[in-house]
Amino acid sequence: VQLQASGGGLVQAGDSLRLSCAASGRALATFSMAWFRQPPGKEREIVAVDNWRDGGSGYADSVKGRFIISRDNAKNTVYLQMARLKPEDTAVYYCAAKQWKDLSVGETMPQDVDYWGQGTLVTVSS
C-alpha cells in the first residue's frame, strides 16, 4: 500500500489543522493506522492509532483531548484532526500502516509498522 500524507502547514498556537493520509494500492479496511511525529532534533514518536479490527483508537498523553484520528474506508483515507495546537506540536507528521494487527500507543515502535507515508510538516508558532 502507498500512503500520501498532506495537510501540514504553518499555524498559530491555538489553531486547528487536519492532516490526511490517502492510501492507494490496497484497501485500508484490514490495516491498523497510526500517526507518528518527529519533532526537530528528536526521535519519532507515536501520536495516535486506529485499529482495523474494532475501530478502537488510542492517543499519546501529549495530544489526548486535542487530536482525533479517524478513517473513511470508502475514501481509503485516514485523518488526524488537531485542535488547540501548541508550539511543542511542531514536527513532521507521518502516517503509517500495519496489516492484520492492532497497534498500541503505549507499545508500538516505528519499526513495528510496515508502510509509511512521506511526512508532512506542521509548524506551530507561539
Side-chain angles (χ1 to χ4, degrees), residues 52-64:
W52 74 280
R53 191 188 305 270
D54 59 4
S57 58
Y59 300 91
D61 287 343
S62 58
V63 306
K64 199 171 293 183

Side-chain angles (χ1 to χ4, degrees), residues 7-83:
L10 173 62
V11 297
Q12 293 187 332
D15 285 351
S16 298
L17 200 61
R18 189 179 78 162
L19 306 182
S20 299
C21 176
S24 60
R26 295 190 201 178
L28 286 183
T30 59
F31 287 83
S32 291
M33 301 298 297
W35 285 95
F36 287 76
R37 68 184 181 187
Q38 187 162 14
K42 297 185 179 181
E43 294 185 349
R44 195 169 298 189
E45 60 184 12
I46 196 166
V47 173
V49 301
D50 182 86
N51 285 314
W52 74 280
R53 191 188 305 270
D54 59 4
S57 58
Y59 300 91
D61 287 343
S62 58
V63 306
K64 199 171 293 183
R66 299 188 297 121
F67 289 12
I68 298 174
I69 187 172
S70 62
R71 69 166 76 199
D72 185 335
N73 284 338
K75 294 183 178 180
N76 228 29
T77 301
V78 176
Y79 305 97
L80 185 68
Q81 181 68 50
M82 305 184 293

